[in-house]
Amino acid sequence: MANTSNISRRDFLRAAIASSALVLPISGAACARDPRSGSTGAESRGWDRVPEILARIRPPVFPQRDFLVTEFGAVGDGERMNTDAIRRAIEACHAAGGGRVVIPEGRFLTGPIHLLSQVNLHVAEGATLAFSQNPDDFLPLVFTRWEGVELMNYSPLIYAFEQENVAVTGAGVLDGQANSEVWWPWKGQGRRAQPGGPHQDAARDRLFRMAAEAVPVEQRRFGPGSYLRPNFVQPYRCRNVLIEGITVRNSPMWELHPVLCENVTVRGVRIESHGPNNDGCDPESCRDVLIEDCYFDTGDDCIALKSGRNEDGRRLATPIENVIVRNCHMKDGHGGVTIGSEISGGARHIFAENCRMDSPNLERGLRLKTNARRGGVIEEVYMRNCTVGQVSNAVLSIDFFYEEGREGEHLPVVRAVEMRDVTSEHSTYPVFLRGFEDKPIESVRIVDCHFNGAERESVVENVAELLLENVTVNGVEWTSEVEQEVSA
């Protein structure tokens, strides 16, 4: 963006238009564009939607009936496999009409756990569910989603398919036992890669080609020899899901990954997992989601909202919508609250408030990432009352140049994004906004925000409307006519 500290408003506007970076001041109670009407009037409901969303989000309630896995033959010695015993307990609980399947104190080694309707898998305090390090234990293949594309692959570690009223709760630990020897090297890059060893690249490319060619999902068979890592907890096409209280460690890939679910509550969960693609919580193509009082210390995005990748996302055409994130603490990760990059089905009505983000290893606060292959419409995204200690990149980032950038025919739409009452103490950029010249970012509002310790100027490229009110950078008001001064 042109430096405007010593030029007139007319010259500034000419320079902004010439660079396709138009920045306008906000005043009074002006509203961002309403994505439904295309207008800029007061009809955009914003935070007024939250009470009605919360009214629909109700955690499942289970009968007061316990099924102790040790009564079905499970042994918590950390050595014997308990897959069959846990399965028998789940089947008995389901047949009885529901209740809790209880993992008591001890270390219980297991293969995949498949939940059934009306079952709450309760991992008690002092209990650890440790998952097998043998990929063959996660066969047969199941219907799942990998990086936004449906396929038949290894079972997720905890999985539910087309079930209703399911939960994973308790103060215990889920240990995926992924490490530099098992699962993580399949990523095929970075310090955990094994030279000449197995890696996912060939299968990943084949999967994406299959999706582009509309190969039926049942024929997209992967598993042994493909090296596509399973996700940890994945309810798929489920209704009424609760994940509460547990600690998750050492995941092969994404940790909590509800897909095509409705009415999801993630509460009081602690994520501590620094492997490759170790996103903390990735609701994908879900509706009515509450994520609250959680702690994220991750190897990738803390929270990443998704809706499918490229052709597969457009085939299902199911957005991630009506998501509330509140009272969470984000430590390490690529982004605190992220939307994308698998976002081809779109995202709307996203709300984040009262969160704390702080780590030299946290890259961004609010992050929207997409490109011309993903496409999708991202609209009505709101963040308020959040504090950022430090992030290594930007407090607010909207970037159309993620991975393939402009190489594609599906231009993304981002509009009606608002950041309000957010403070930061250190970042490289306060704000990083990059749209396309032929498809700019639309209507971004920043209100009552104070960005301190910024090392560089904000990047604002190809933004149709940036609305500012009471915004300071390093103590200096940032308006459309005075470029913020930054420290060297």
PDB file of all heavy atoms in Angstrom, residues 210-223:
ATOM      1  N   MET A 210      -8.242 -38.449  -8.722  1.00  0.00           N
ATOM      2  CA  MET A 210      -9.489 -39.208  -8.698  1.00  0.00           C
ATOM      3  C   MET A 210     -10.682 -38.292  -8.424  1.00  0.00           C
ATOM      4  O   MET A 210     -11.738 -38.416  -9.063  1.00  0.00           O
ATOM      5  CB  MET A 210      -9.422 -40.308  -7.634  1.00  0.00           C
ATOM      6  CG  MET A 210      -8.573 -41.495  -8.008  1.00  0.00           C
ATOM      7  SD  MET A 210      -8.533 -42.704  -6.658  1.00  0.00           S
ATOM      8  CE  MET A 210      -8.353 -44.222  -7.587  1.00  0.00           C
ATOM      9  N   ALA A 211     -10.514 -37.384  -7.469  1.00  0.00           N
ATOM     10  CA  ALA A 211     -11.589 -36.451  -7.157  1.00  0.00           C
ATOM     11  C   ALA A 211     -11.875 -35.552  -8.353  1.00  0.00           C
ATOM     12  O   ALA A 211     -13.039 -35.290  -8.685  1.00  0.00           O
ATOM     13  CB  ALA A 211     -11.230 -35.626  -5.927  1.00  0.00           C
ATOM     14  N   ALA A 212     -10.826 -35.082  -9.030  1.00  0.00           N
ATOM     15  CA  ALA A 212     -11.009 -34.209 -10.191  1.00  0.00           C
ATOM     16  C   ALA A 212     -11.714 -34.942 -11.320  1.00  0.00           C
ATOM     17  O   ALA A 212     -12.457 -34.330 -12.103  1.00  0.00           O
ATOM     18  CB  ALA A 212      -9.660 -33.676 -10.666  1.00  0.00           C
ATOM     19  N   GLU A 213     -11.502 -36.263 -11.408  1.00  0.00           N
ATOM     20  CA  GLU A 213     -12.114 -37.066 -12.465  1.00  0.00           C
ATOM     21  C   GLU A 213     -13.437 -37.687 -12.040  1.00  0.00           C
ATOM     22  O   GLU A 213     -14.000 -38.511 -12.774  1.00  0.00           O
ATOM     23  CB  GLU A 213     -11.134 -38.151 -12.903  1.00  0.00           C
ATOM     24  CG  GLU A 213      -9.860 -37.584 -13.533  1.00  0.00           C
ATOM     25  CD  GLU A 213      -8.757 -38.619 -13.684  1.00  0.00           C
ATOM     26  OE1 GLU A 213      -8.982 -39.797 -13.308  1.00  0.00           O
ATOM     27  OE2 GLU A 213      -7.659 -38.250 -14.170  1.00  0.00           O
ATOM     28  N   ALA A 214     -13.929 -37.314 -10.855  1.00  0.00           N
ATOM     29  CA  ALA A 214     -15.230 -37.788 -10.342  1.00  0.00           C
ATOM     30  C   ALA A 214     -15.293 -39.304 -10.187  1.00  0.00           C
ATOM     31  O   ALA A 214     -16.342 -39.929 -10.391  1.00  0.00           O
ATOM     32  CB  ALA A 214     -16.373 -37.285 -11.223  1.00  0.00           C
ATOM     33  N   VAL A 215     -14.184 -39.920  -9.832  1.00  0.00           N
ATOM     34  CA  VAL A 215     -14.178 -41.350  -9.535  1.00  0.00           C
ATOM     35  C   VAL A 215     -15.038 -41.579  -8.290  1.00  0.00           C
ATOM     36  O   VAL A 215     -14.898 -40.867  -7.295  1.00  0.00           O
ATOM     37  CB  VAL A 215     -12.741 -41.844  -9.290  1.00  0.00           C
ATOM     38  CG1 VAL A 215     -12.737 -43.297  -8.821  1.00  0.00           C
ATOM     39  CG2 VAL A 215     -11.908 -41.679 -10.558  1.00  0.00           C
ATOM     40  N   PRO A 216     -15.960 -42.551  -8.312  1.00  0.00           N
ATOM     41  CA  PRO A 216     -16.793 -42.803  -7.123  1.00  0.00           C
ATOM     42  C   PRO A 216     -15.935 -43.059  -5.888  1.00  0.00           C
ATOM     43  O   PRO A 216     -14.864 -43.680  -5.971  1.00  0.00           O
ATOM     44  CB  PRO A 216     -17.591 -44.053  -7.517  1.00  0.00           C
ATOM     45  CG  PRO A 216     -17.645 -44.003  -9.016  1.00  0.00           C
ATOM     46  CD  PRO A 216     -16.324 -43.426  -9.439  1.00  0.00           C
ATOM     47  N   VAL A 217     -16.415 -42.589  -4.745  1.00  0.00           N
ATOM     48  CA  VAL A 217     -15.628 -42.673  -3.509  1.00  0.00           C
ATOM     49  C   VAL A 217     -15.256 -44.113  -3.199  1.00  0.00           C
ATOM     50  O   VAL A 217     -14.130 -44.395  -2.769  1.00  0.00           O
ATOM     51  CB  VAL A 217     -16.405 -42.039  -2.343  1.00  0.00           C
ATOM     52  CG1 VAL A 217     -15.650 -42.229  -1.035  1.00  0.00           C
ATOM     53  CG2 VAL A 217     -16.650 -40.559  -2.613  1.00  0.00           C
ATOM     54  N   GLU A 218     -16.173 -45.048  -3.408  1.00  0.00           N
ATOM     55  CA  GLU A 218     -15.901 -46.447  -3.074  1.00  0.00           C
ATOM     56  C   GLU A 218     -14.736 -47.019  -3.877  1.00  0.00           C
ATOM     57  O   GLU A 218     -14.153 -48.028  -3.492  1.00  0.00           O
ATOM     58  CB  GLU A 218     -17.161 -47.289  -3.305  1.00  0.00           C
ATOM     59  CG  GLU A 218     -18.301 -46.990  -2.333  1.00  0.00           C
ATOM     60  CD  GLU A 218     -19.042 -45.691  -2.654  1.00  0.00           C
ATOM     61  OE1 GLU A 218     -18.777 -45.104  -3.740  1.00  0.00           O
ATOM     62  OE2 GLU A 218     -19.863 -45.256  -1.828  1.00  0.00           O
ATOM     63  N   GLN A 219     -14.421 -46.382  -5.007  1.00  0.00           N
ATOM     64  CA  GLN A 219     -13.292 -46.850  -5.819  1.00  0.00           C
ATOM     65  C   GLN A 219     -11.990 -46.129  -5.492  1.00  0.00           C
ATOM     66  O   GLN A 219     -10.937 -46.474  -6.029  1.00  0.00           O
ATOM     67  CB  GLN A 219     -13.627 -46.656  -7.303  1.00  0.00           C
ATOM     68  CG  GLN A 219     -14.813 -47.481  -7.775  1.00  0.00           C
ATOM     69  CD  GLN A 219     -15.149 -47.225  -9.228  1.00  0.00           C
ATOM     70  OE1 GLN A 219     -14.304 -46.801 -10.034  1.00  0.00           O
ATOM     71  NE2 GLN A 219     -16.409 -47.461  -9.595  1.00  0.00           N
ATOM     72  N   ARG A 220     -12.045 -45.158  -4.622  1.00  0.00           N
ATOM     73  CA  ARG A 220     -10.827 -44.443  -4.204  1.00  0.00           C
ATOM     74  C   ARG A 220     -10.236 -45.190  -3.006  1.00  0.00           C
ATOM     75  O   ARG A 220     -10.351 -44.767  -1.856  1.00  0.00           O
ATOM     76  CB  ARG A 220     -11.148 -42.995  -3.822  1.00  0.00           C
ATOM     77  CG  ARG A 220     -11.870 -42.205  -4.902  1.00  0.00           C
ATOM     78  CD  ARG A 220     -12.246 -40.830  -4.377  1.00  0.00           C
ATOM     79  NE  ARG A 220     -13.182 -40.129  -5.247  1.00  0.00           N
ATOM     80  CZ  ARG A 220     -13.761 -38.971  -4.946  1.00  0.00           C
ATOM     81  NH1 ARG A 220     -13.484 -38.367  -3.786  1.00  0.00           N
ATOM     82  NH2 ARG A 220     -14.613 -38.419  -5.778  1.00  0.00           N
ATOM     83  N   ARG A 221      -9.612 -46.289  -3.268  1.00  0.00           N
ATOM     84  CA  ARG A 221      -9.156 -47.175  -2.196  1.00  0.00           C
ATOM     85  C   ARG A 221      -7.662 -46.953  -1.934  1.00  0.00           C
ATOM     86  O   ARG A 221      -6.835 -47.098  -2.828  1.00  0.00           O
ATOM     87  CB  ARG A 221      -9.450 -48.632  -2.548  1.00  0.00           C
ATOM     88  CG  ARG A 221     -10.944 -48.872  -2.824  1.00  0.00           C
ATOM     89  CD  ARG A 221     -11.259 -50.331  -3.018  1.00  0.00           C
ATOM     90  NE  ARG A 221     -11.065 -51.099  -1.792  1.00  0.00           N
ATOM     91  CZ  ARG A 221     -11.963 -51.171  -0.805  1.00  0.00           C
ATOM     92  NH1 ARG A 221     -13.123 -50.525  -0.909  1.00  0.00           N
ATOM     93  NH2 ARG A 221     -11.721 -51.894   0.253  1.00  0.00           N
ATOM     94  N   PHE A 222      -7.361 -46.668  -0.692  1.00  0.00           N
ATOM     95  CA  PHE A 222      -5.976 -46.384  -0.323  1.00  0.00           C
ATOM     96  C   PHE A 222      -5.575 -47.334   0.814  1.00  0.00           C
ATOM     97  O   PHE A 222      -5.810 -48.521   0.706  1.00  0.00           O
ATOM     98  CB  PHE A 222      -5.826 -44.899   0.019  1.00  0.00           C
ATOM     99  CG  PHE A 222      -5.939 -44.029  -1.216  1.00  0.00           C
ATOM    100  CD1 PHE A 222      -7.169 -43.716  -1.767  1.00  0.00           C
ATOM    101  CD2 PHE A 222      -4.804 -43.565  -1.858  1.00  0.00           C
ATOM    102  CE1 PHE A 222      -7.280 -42.948  -2.923  1.00  0.00           C
ATOM    103  CE2 PHE A 222      -4.888 -42.801  -3.013  1.00  0.00           C
ATOM    104  CZ  PHE A 222      -6.134 -42.495  -3.541  1.00  0.00           C
ATOM    105  N   GLY A 223      -4.980 -46.871   1.877  1.00  0.00           N
ATOM    106  CA  GLY A 223      -4.569 -47.785   2.934  1.00  0.00           C
ATOM    107  C   GLY A 223      -3.139 -48.261   2.748  1.00  0.00           C
ATOM    108  O   GLY A 223      -2.235 -47.466   2.443  1.00  0.00           O
TER     109      GLY A 223
END
